[in-house]
Amino acid sequence: MYALVDCNNFYVSCERVFRPDLNGRPVVVLSNNDGCIIARSNEAKELGIRMGEPAFKIADFLQQNQVAVFSSNYALYGDLSHRVMSILGRFTPELEIYSIDEAFLGLAGLNVDWEDYGRKIRETVLRHVGIPVSVGIAPTKVLAKAANHHAKKGRGKQGVGVLDSPEKIEAALKELPVDEVWGIGRQYTKLLKAQQVETAWEFRQLDDDWVRRRMTVVGLRVKKELEGIACLEMELIPPAKKVICTSRSFGADQTDLGPLEEAVATFAARCAEKLRRQRSCAGMMMVFLHTNGFKEDEPQYAKNLVFKLPAATNSTIELARHARAALRVIYKKGYRYKKAGVIVMGIVPEERVQGSLFSGVDEAKHAAVMKQIDRINAKYGRDTIKIAAQGSGEKWKLRRQKLSPCYTTRWEDIIKVRV
DNA sequence: TCTGGGGTCCTAGGACCC
DNA sequence: TCTGGGGTCCTAGGACCC
């Protein structure tokens, strides 16, 4: 059996942990740059606020309905996520952290009442971290997801859904719209609806060969999982990333090369940090920038450059140097740029890097410097020490007008309790 | 004024190898 | 009718996830 534990309206719940006055009120959290709605409390959902809606389009509506609006505060969400996961880790040695707000628990060999067990997980996380979660328990991952969905819709008991018999599975799948099945997205939904398939149960009745042909082995695996045949294994150790991307829309459009160079150097620095964290190096890089496609009356320009690095590296200095050089190649004067990014690829483990006779870079020296930079920044906070090319970010940094305090990760933001 | 960011996997087709 | 057989690597495109 597997459990899927999913935090309810996670970002909103994080904001509420230190603001209990927001319980029962509509709350939303915005994407970077205060752009779109990316998390909604149940009250906000009931008001009809849609996922992904641009905030500026419904600014009046939000105000009229006294919706509490927050910029996204990833320092807070990341920290609370970490706490939730460490609590879940007490329940089983088989924990797969699937995303910032979800985890699978392998429950093999456990002989307990599943309803009780699910409730215990819920209560423990709520008491220790203050985040409400839903728990789905079933024989496969896809069914655990379905059980979780079932629980969220209020049909399970107190946020816990258990599908441990063919009868319960059939009943739940007959109520589950096919587009809510994990692994069935927009395109497959269209395909299935054209076949008169509306529910997960109807999908399960389809012919294997047809599914294989039209939805590849991925679709077939989903179907088998719905039948109760486990095809998806637990990933206890997160595999190293094969591609790492850092990109941002700017708080304001950029026209000059200078600030763009700083932005790209900063993105390269973030990529380098991510590479070092997973102990790998990148052999290729892509740098891209583009104007704002929504402004149809303005001249548009988008360009990227992909290139091999002379030797695979995770040095901030090297990656930033190449990123800036690439930017200078693709930058054209006379446009208003909205977004840029750096992607690193050709990722290999640190200890398997093929050196270069001609790069002229002393890799050992770079590694030693990076180690000290990481140590200092881990202790005193990100960018306490950085390379000069990153600049201050003053010109291009994100708009975050409604940022909540970093209650758990900054000394200055810790809540004061009056005695 | 204003519209997010970061990933994975699978398949088909072309170039190339012996 | 019937044009060898078996393979790798790379890329682009399309699907999906949070």
Side-chain angles (χ1 to χ4, degrees):
Chain A
M1 295 292 273
Y2 298 87
L4 185 264
V5 180
D6 178 315
C7 301
N8 300 345
N9 312 330
F10 182 54
Y11 296 171
V12 163
S13 297
C14 289
E15 298 293 348
R16 278 175 168 169
V17 168
F18 293 91
R19 289 282 309 275
D21 59 300
L22 296 174
N23 287 323
R25 282 187 53 193
V27 182
V28 298
V29 175
L30 306 178
S31 62
N32 272 340
N33 259 325
D34 295 345
C36 299
I37 310 273
I38 54 165
R40 304 157 297 161
S41 69
N42 291 344
E43 299 79 9
K45 289 175 188 171
E46 275 159 26
L47 284 173
I49 298 169
R50 280 175 310 181
M51 185 69 170
E53 182 87 352
F56 76 92
K57 285 190 178 171
I58 56 165
D60 291 343
F61 180 85
L62 293 174
Q63 203 171 10
Q64 281 155 21
N65 290 280
Q66 296 185 26
V67 179
V69 180
F70 289 95
S71 304
S72 35
N73 183 345
Y74 287 106
L76 177 65
Y77 312 151
D79 185 62
L80 292 185
S81 169
H82 201 79
R83 293 172 191 228
V84 169
M85 299 306 169
S86 80
I87 300 291
L88 295 180
R90 297 184 195 171
F91 283 86
T92 168
E94 282 191 36
L95 179 71
E96 174 182 338
I97 299 171
Y98 179 68
S99 74
I100 194 165
D101 71 335
E102 271 177 68
F104 287 102
L105 280 63
L107 306 180
L110 229 58
N111 186 14
V112 293
D113 180 283
W114 298 120
E115 305 265 356
D116 283 350
Y117 194 72
R119 266 197 298 277
K120 195 169 168 213
I121 292 175
R122 238 178 89 78
E123 281 161 15
T124 309
V125 174
L126 191 61
R127 187 167 70 246
H128 288 251
V129 195
I131 298 285
V133 301
S134 298
V135 184
I137 300 179
T140 68
K141 284 178 152 186
V142 172
L143 284 172
K145 274 271 201 181
N148 187 284
H149 190 265
H150 202 63
K152 272 222 174 77
K153 294 285 163 187
R155 284 185 283 263
K157 288 171 192 155
Q158 301 155 35
V160 178
V162 177
L163 300 179
D164 56 354
S165 72
E167 296 74 29
K168 285 189 205 167
I169 290 173
E170 178 173 343
L173 294 190
K174 280 180 170 167
E175 278 187 47
L176 184 66
V178 74
D179 58 294
E180 302 277 3
V181 174
W182 189 41
I184 308 289
R186 255 205 298 275
Q187 298 306 313
Y188 286 153
T189 298
K190 235 196 306 184
L191 176 72
L192 291 169
K193 294 226 160 149
Q195 304 292 313
Q196 330 299 332
V197 171
E198 298 287 338
T199 66
W201 181 254
E202 286 162 1
F203 173 58
R204 214 183 94 156
Q205 309 309 312
L206 290 176
D207 178 55
D208 277 3
D209 290 337
W210 186 89
V211 174
R212 166 72 241 249
R213 218 166 343 104
R214 304 297 295 271
M215 303 171 68
T216 78
V217 297
V218 183
L220 187 55
R221 278 201 282 260
V222 172
K223 186 186 171 230
K224 289 292 153 197
E225 285 254 324
L226 285 175
E227 292 173 14
I229 300 165
C231 306
L232 306 173
E233 289 182 359
M234 292 284 285
E235 269 182 5
L236 303 182
I237 299 152
K241 303 270 182 250
K242 299 167 179 174
V243 172
I244 289 173
C245 173
T246 306
S247 73
R248 293 288 180 276
S249 299
F250 305 126
D253 290 350
Q254 298 297 314
T255 52
D256 299 338
L257 184 58
L260 287 170
E261 277 195 30
E262 291 184 2
V264 159
T266 303
F267 302 154
R270 295 284 170 266
C271 286
E273 288 165 5
K274 295 177 195 175
L275 283 168
R276 295 199 292 272
R277 213 173 305 143
Q278 67 169 36
R279 300 184 51 78
S280 52
C281 291
M284 289 176 76
M285 177 181 274
M286 174 163 105
V287 177
F288 69 88
L289 85 169
H290 60 76
T291 49
N292 187 346
F294 287 104
K295 293 183 178 169
E296 289 171 13
D297 49 337
E298 285 191 11
Q300 297 290 327
Y301 174 70
K303 186 86 179 162
N304 69 63
L305 186 62
V306 186
F307 53 97
K308 274 206 167 85
L309 297 167
T313 180
N314 58 20
S315 158
T316 298
I317 297 169
E318 276 298 283
L319 291 173
R321 184 165 69 83
H322 289 291
R324 293 170 72 209
L327 177 76
R328 287 193 287 268
V329 174
I330 57 178
Y331 169 82
K332 276 210 293 199
K333 219 175 158 57
Y335 291 97
R336 297 166 55 80
Y337 293 103
K338 179 62 180 168
K339 183 173 180 176
V342 172
I343 302 175
V344 292
M345 298 157 288
I347 292 177
V348 292
E350 248 172 8
E351 68 276 10
R352 254 196 278 156
V353 169
Q354 174 73 55
S356 166
L357 271 179
F358 310 110
S359 72
V361 173
D362 183 343
E363 284 294 339
K365 204 157 94 183
H366 274 255
V369 174
M370 292 308 131
K371 196 171 164 191
Q372 295 311 317
I373 290 180
D374 289 337
R375 191 178 59 79
I376 291 165
N377 287 339
K379 187 164 179 186
Y380 298 101
R382 168 178 285 177
D383 285 345
T384 298
I385 183 164
K386 60 184 173 182
I387 60 172
Q390 286 180 238
S392 65
E394 216 44 60
K395 282 240 167 85
W396 55 271
K397 68 182 174 194
L398 298 173
R399 233 190 343 266
R400 292 203 291 180
Q401 288 176 341
K402 289 154 185 171
L403 188 64
S404 52
C406 295
Y407 300 103
T408 59
T409 54
R410 282 186 60 179
W411 289 112
E412 307 91 272
D413 289 356
I414 289 180
I415 281 190
K416 295 181 183 69
V417 178
R418 220 174 297 164
V419 185

